[in-house]
Amino acid sequence: MRTSPFFHFLMLGFFKERKKHIGVIAISLVILFLLGSALFISSSIRYSLNQTLAWEPDFVVQRTQGGQKVNAPTAWIDDLLEVHGISKVTPRVYGRYFFKAKENSFLIVGVDFMDEQSNKALRMMMDETDLKQFLKGDNMLVGEGVSTHLKTHFYPNGYTFLTPKGVFKKVNLFKVLPKKSNLISNDMIIVPIELAREILGMGEDEVSDIALNVPNDDEWDNVADKISAFYYDIHVTTKEDIKKAYENLYNYKGGVFLILFLIVIVTFVLILYQRYSMVYSSERRHIGLLRALGWSIRDVLKLKFFETMMIVVIAFVLGVALAYLYVFVLGAPLLREIFLGGANLPNSVILVPVLDFGILSSIFLIYAIPFISAVLIPTWKIAVTDPKEAML
Amino acid sequence: MMKAMIVIDNLNKHFKSGDDIFKVLKGINLQINSGECIVLKGVSGSGKTTLLSIIGGLDRPSSGKVLVEGESISKLPDLHISHFRARKIGMIFQHFNLFDHLTAAENVMIPLIPTGLDMHEVNHKVEVSLKLANIFHKANSAAGRLSGGEKQRVAIARALASNPAIILCDEPTANLDRNNSLKFIDILSQLHEMGKTIVVATHDPLFDTLPFESKIIPMEDGSLVDTFSKDTLAES
Ligand SMILES: Nc1ncnc2c1ncn2[C@@H]1O[C@H](COP(=O)(O)OP(=O)(O)OP(=O)(O)O)[C@@H](O)[C@H]1O
Ligand SMILES: [Mg+2]
């Protein structure tokens, strides 16, 4: 491509005066990095929240004893089926199994493979699994985290569980669950429901809890009240409760985020002011001189526009790319603590890469428009004065 | 034969500072023919720079008009006046006014950029004018590092880049030693031979005895002392 003299000159000026721009690019980069990181973390969390909620049923019924959750009897299932408004009752069998060597734990989930899966997330995970083959022996589907953990401890093909009854139970690793469901499945081991009972030491007449679907939102309160009245030791959790619990974990609307935001805005205003006054001081003579040498107002504005655009684009692309690396590759050390609110959340939460182009482009505009204006408005004011005046 | 290149008609320029009006140019009438060399002589503050700026379209008159090749430049819209400056006027400023961070060649390129030439033509013109101003050997040196005489030759090359018909020089020798001043006069006579219309504003006595035909017009307190009368203007 043949470069036009205009772009040749633009590049020349830009690189020969890079000292003038490097500070502003660096500070903009930091601002955009912070904003970008905050955006990436919060949209990733929002995504996680939605995913997690999709995993949750409308209601969960648990048995409590002394305020603690214990296994529920299967007898409850029939009673619940009687309740008007409940479309589906799913007994769930799951529990944590602690891997002694490193005190890591897996989530064992028992699934009734004969039942049609109402849970979307589960359906997605088990896509493409050959169920017939799977059910032939003691097989398990494991999340990626589990798979790598087993591999590093030299169990590439399966694992021998020690049941509470003191029996060793060897289970083959059938397949690793797809990466896209990592958020939920990372530490998960899916086995047939009977096998789960065995590993977790649960009786035939026990379930961990019972999930209910109530299609009509208006009936939620009604149904919840009715169920609560059934037994003295029944505890009902709705999807709303779960959502609230999660939202409390992510305190990204909290004070630290506000302070961060304030710092970003103040710094940004300072940058704008620096650019604005720079045009009036050091650029003034240059603009007047260009005008004196035959450049029209439009030529001068074009030069300054592209020059500023280069700064804006360099800072934006680098800032956002660094934020992406920092959040999704490094896992956002430091900032993560602010957003995830410390200890509440199990450390297995991974920040899933989520790119929200809508917000990215609005950040770009919110950054670029004031920045370009801060340069073009004074440039224009100088360019329209007589060159002799401007060159003084 | 004597074609009028620049006609200045009852030109006034004043600056306001608060309630005071400060008259810098007072009723100037002047006709400069194509190929002529005019030397405006006057003490500091007599209004030479102001007059040159108005001729070059860098400043606007308070009243009166300036015609270049019959066209009144002070009334042109920006795009036209910029065009006019780029194609018709080569200006050599009192303080050279180079971009110090750019090389000599890059400085000379500046007036060519808005003319719509391609890179090849631009480079060619830059080379020609650097050679003409006898500074081609410093083409790739940063302007800020050049000596005063070299800077001025770069300024000359820049003024010549778009091959303008009119060259305006403001105190061209004020920052030069005698040797460099004489070199400048050499270049000036070359330009004269090329048929350029030249206006020099100076108080340097060197210009009293130029080796080529020139017209010295003394300037005093915003007026031309020995100038064309209104009648001469009317005759032409
Ligand atoms: N923008 C301005 N505002 C107010 N006064 C001005 C302005 N420009 C020039 N003047 C005044 O007009 C007068 C003429 O200035 P000008 O620069 O034309 O003089 P000059 O003959 O070029 O002087 P020198 O030889 O010192 O360059 C000076 O007294 C100057 O102070
Ligand atoms: Mg002057």
Side-chain angles (χ1 to χ4, degrees), chain A residues 270-322:
Chain A
L270 287 177
I271 291 185
L272 292 186
Y273 181 73
Q274 189 272 346
R275 283 282 115 170
Y276 184 82
S277 46
M278 188 188 81
V279 176
Y280 270 121
S281 53
S282 64
E283 303 278 274
R284 186 186 171 87
R285 234 193 90 242
H286 281 183
I287 294 169
L289 186 53
L290 288 177
R291 296 273 293 128
L293 294 172
W295 287 48
S296 68
I297 296 171
R298 237 183 53 200
D299 295 327
V300 172
L301 286 176
K302 191 171 139 195
L303 181 77
K304 287 287 151 195
F305 174 79
F306 280 106
E307 189 185 284
T308 314
M309 233 12 215
M310 278 170 68
I311 295 174
V312 166
V313 169
I314 289 174
F316 183 79
V317 169
L318 284 182
V320 169
L322 284 179

Side-chain angles (χ1 to χ4, degrees), chain A residues 106 142-152 155-156 173 176 186:
Chain A
F106 308 137
V142 303
E144 212 189 16
V146 179
S147 153
T148 42
H149 189 82
L150 289 181
K151 252 183 227 153
T152 52
Y155 300 104
L173 201 162
V176 180
N186 195 42

Side-chain angles (χ1 to χ4, degrees), chain A residues 20-203:
Chain A
K20 218 166 66 185
H21 305 309
I22 221 137
V24 160
I25 292 181
I27 297 170
S28 303
L29 199 149
V30 172
I31 289 182
L32 290 163
F33 169 78
L34 284 176
L35 271 184
S37 300
L39 159 76
F40 284 141
I41 294 174
S42 66
S43 51
S44 178
I45 288 175
R46 212 175 314 117
Y47 172 82
S48 309
L49 192 70
N50 288 335
Q51 291 290 301
T52 317
L53 287 176
W55 168 246
E56 296 295 339
D58 298 338
F59 282 77
V60 174
V61 173
Q62 295 172 330
R63 179 180 222 178
T64 53
Q65 278 175 1
Q68 277 210 308
K69 175 197 167 298
V70 294
N71 292 335
T74 43
W76 283 12
I77 296 173
D78 294 332
D79 294 336
L80 289 169
L81 280 170
E82 299 289 299
V83 178
H84 183 72
I86 296 180
S87 70
K88 190 160 173 59
V89 177
T90 317
R92 305 198 299 188
V93 172
Y94 62 89
R96 293 226 152 246
Y97 183 92
F98 284 81
F99 187 83
K100 295 270 167 46
K102 246 196 144 188
E103 294 189 335
N104 289 46
S105 71
F106 308 137
L107 183 65
I108 308 265
V109 177
V111 173
D112 185 352
F113 288 95
M114 293 300 129
D115 198 23
E116 189 209 335
Q117 287 309 320
S118 57
N119 191 298
K120 254 196 246 162
L122 209 55
R123 270 210 305 264
M124 175 187 85
M125 278 183 230
M126 297 195 308
D127 229 20
E128 295 164 25
T129 302
D130 181 358
L131 277 185
K132 258 191 200 154
Q133 196 62 33
F134 178 73
L135 291 173
K136 266 186 188 158
D138 287 333
N139 288 316
M140 60 182 174
L141 303 169
V142 303
E144 212 189 16
V146 179
S147 153
T148 42
H149 189 82
L150 289 181
K151 252 183 227 153
T152 52
H153 290 84
F154 310 108
Y155 300 104
N157 304 317
Y159 184 68
T160 307
F161 293 90
L162 177 60
T163 72
K165 285 182 180 142
V167 180
F168 287 102
K169 183 80 191 170
K170 188 170 184 307
V171 182
N172 296 318
L173 201 162
F174 189 75
K175 209 183 99 182
V176 180
L177 293 166
K179 217 184 174 80
K180 60 184 172 183
S181 66
N182 253 5
L183 177 74
I184 329 168
S185 68
N186 195 42
D187 66 343
M188 203 181 260
I189 296 179
I190 295 179
V191 289
I193 203 157
E194 304 76 29
L195 187 53
R197 280 206 173 94
E198 202 179 334
I199 293 171
L200 297 168
M202 284 164 62

Side-chain angles (χ1 to χ4, degrees), chain B residues 126-139:
Chain B
V126 167
E127 190 184 325
V128 167
S129 16
L130 281 170
K131 281 180 176 158
L132 201 63
N134 204 8
I135 191 70
F136 184 63
H137 57 289
K138 292 281 183 181

Side-chain angles (χ1 to χ4, degrees), chain B residues 44-45 47-50 94 170-171 201:
Chain B
S44 182
K48 305 181 297 289
T49 300
T50 308
Q94 192 163 354
D170 191 6
E171 311 268 7

Side-chain angles (χ1 to χ4, degrees), chain A residues 388-389, chain B residues 15 22 24 43-50 94 171:
Chain A
K388 187 189 173 229
E389 200 81 358
Chain B
F15 294 105
F22 185 64
V24 179
V43 293
S44 182
S46 54
K48 305 181 297 289
T49 300
T50 308
Q94 192 163 354
E171 311 268 7

